[in-house]
Amino acid sequence: MFQGNISHLTTFVLIGVSEHPELQLPLFFIFFAIYGVTVTGNMGIITLTSIDSQLQTPMYFFLRHLAIINLGNSTVIAPQMLVNFLLEKKTISYYGCIIQHAGFIVFIVAETFMLAVMAYDRYVAICNPLLYMVVVSRKVCILLVALTYIYSFSTSVTITSYVFSMSYCSSNVINHFYCDNIPLLALSCSATHIPETIVYICAATNLFISMTIVLVSYFQIILAILRIRSAAGRWKAFSTCASHITAVTVFYGTLLFMYVQPQSNHSLDTDKVASVFYTLVIPMLNPMIYSLRNKDVKEALRRVLTNLCQTFKNI
């Protein structure tokens, strides 16, 4: 435990996923495997959507940035987490904690709105197919992605500034595996009403706006699909949204579980489980969702592998 004033605070101690020493090595291998699959999968999506000529549409432009966000979100958390599994003293520097906290918020907010942008993209593609490339032009795509990053960065700066403006004078032990809002504020010996209010207003606003965009978009998509007469046509239209619906359900389901549960059932241990899911598991699952359920991505991967094999044969 650290006793003293914030001016002397140079490190935080992270409790981690589990305090049991016998679980540290097994957990290291489990999360190392998860992070390895995450990096491989998301780098694969980024590479395919960058080099394959058939994947140069708005849908795959947004998918590339979702993969960048997922990779960033996982990388902000996982390396420090993996190192701490192997160390007896699981510390992170004060400024390292600030960087991790700010990076996490940037990527989690960016993912929230990138999924909303992708829902809008599917709405235009299905409800206004003839105007699709006009409405969702290259300039519009770049603008939507840029606004997503700018907003997520500004949100991160705001929240991080408030959280780290507090005095931490009672303890430096964070009951979490990364520097998150609630565990950090729980350590403060200052009044936390203002930063807590800012955190919850930002979280509620971001969830409400992004979920509204997603729900309105899919309401219009469902109506458009129901107007299609042939079963084959309806299935084809729905199949273009299947991967995104799966990703949205998993992501928003996890966030709603975390923020909507009754206060009496809320605990930091529950937060840890939810946090593992949306910081490490979901970034691993998204490339699988978009590749296993997407014919275009599978065909692009096949083309790239075929070209690589031919290149090696010609050497």
Side-chain angles (χ1 to χ4, degrees):
M1 292 284 186
F2 175 89
Q3 304 293 332
N5 188 273
I6 189 168
S7 61
H8 301 115
L9 182 61
T10 58
T11 60
F12 286 106
V13 177
L14 295 165
I15 294 292
V17 177
S18 172
E19 295 183 69
H20 299 288
E22 68 275 10
L23 293 179
Q24 301 306 301
L25 199 57
L27 286 172
F28 169 82
F29 286 112
I30 290 170
F31 286 106
F32 181 80
I34 289 173
Y35 183 57
V37 173
T38 300
V39 172
T40 303
N42 284 291
M43 283 302 297
I45 293 290
I46 293 166
T47 303
L48 284 176
T49 56
S50 298
I51 67 175
D52 191 88
S53 60
Q54 302 300 311
L55 300 182
Q56 303 307 307
T57 63
M59 174 182 172
Y60 294 108
F61 177 79
F62 296 134
L63 178 58
R64 183 190 315 153
H65 284 277
L66 179 64
I68 292 170
I69 291 164
N70 283 158
L71 183 60
N73 194 12
S74 187
T75 300
V76 164
I77 306 296
Q80 180 72 50
M81 181 187 186
L82 291 171
V83 169
N84 284 346
F85 279 130
L86 303 177
L87 299 176
E88 186 176 346
K89 193 172 183 181
K90 309 174 190 305
T91 60
I92 183 171
S93 70
Y94 179 78
Y95 291 106
C97 192
I98 292 176
I99 292 168
Q100 188 183 66
H101 178 271
F104 163 71
I105 294 176
V106 166
F107 291 118
I108 201 70
V109 173
E111 183 167 4
T112 303
F113 283 96
M114 190 56 64
L115 288 171
V117 167
M118 293 172 78
Y120 172 73
D121 169 72
R122 291 299 83 206
Y123 155 72
V124 178
I126 292 173
C127 298
N128 297 288
L130 298 178
L131 297 175
Y132 179 56
M133 295 307 295
V134 176
V135 176
V136 193
S137 64
R138 182 72 177 176
K139 287 184 179 179
V140 171
C141 289
I142 293 171
L143 177 63
L144 290 172
V145 168
L147 288 174
T148 297
Y149 287 134
I150 291 168
Y151 176 74
S152 61
F153 181 78
S154 61
T155 302
S156 175
V157 170
T158 302
I159 293 176
T160 302
S161 298
Y162 274 101
V163 170
F164 284 91
S165 68
M166 299 291 98
S167 295
Y168 296 97
C169 55
S170 58
S171 171
N172 69 334
V173 180
I174 301 173
N175 187 13
H176 217 304
F177 60 89
Y178 69 97
C179 297
D180 196 13
N181 295 311
I182 305 304
L184 276 167
L185 291 175
L187 301 181
S188 176
C189 54
S190 306
T192 60
H193 174 70
I194 293 176
E196 282 179 350
T197 302
I198 295 294
V199 168
Y200 283 114
I201 287 175
C202 286
T205 302
N206 293 338
L207 266 177
F208 176 77
I209 293 174
S210 60
M211 285 189 68
T212 299
I213 294 170
V214 170
L215 291 173
V216 170
S217 296
Y218 274 105
F219 178 74
Q220 295 296 326
I221 287 170
I222 290 169
L223 292 180
I225 290 175
L226 291 176
R227 286 195 291 266
I228 299 173
R229 294 184 178 182
S230 68
R234 285 195 297 270
W235 173 249
K236 184 179 179 181
F238 175 77
S239 64
T240 64
C241 305
S243 296
H244 184 256
I245 291 172
T246 305
V248 163
T249 302
V250 173
F251 181 76
Y252 284 110
T254 304
L255 290 184
L256 287 173
F257 168 79
M258 187 167 180
Y259 288 106
V260 180
Q261 61 180 309
Q263 192 65 31
S264 58
N265 296 335
H266 192 86
S267 70
L268 287 176
D269 289 334
T270 306
D271 285 355
K272 285 183 188 181
V273 174
S275 296
V276 164
F277 212 76
Y278 64 70
T279 60
L280 298 169
V281 177
I282 289 177
M284 177 189 69
L285 292 177
N286 277 345
M288 299 180 188
I289 291 169
Y290 280 99
S291 58
L292 295 177
R293 298 182 63 91
N294 191 303
K295 184 177 69 174
D296 292 339
V297 173
K298 287 189 284 188
E299 288 179 353
L301 179 59
R302 193 177 298 114
R303 284 193 296 271
V304 170
L305 293 175
T306 301
N307 290 336
L308 282 174
C309 290
Q310 290 177 348
T311 302
F312 282 121
K313 285 179 181 179
N314 294 332
I315 293 176

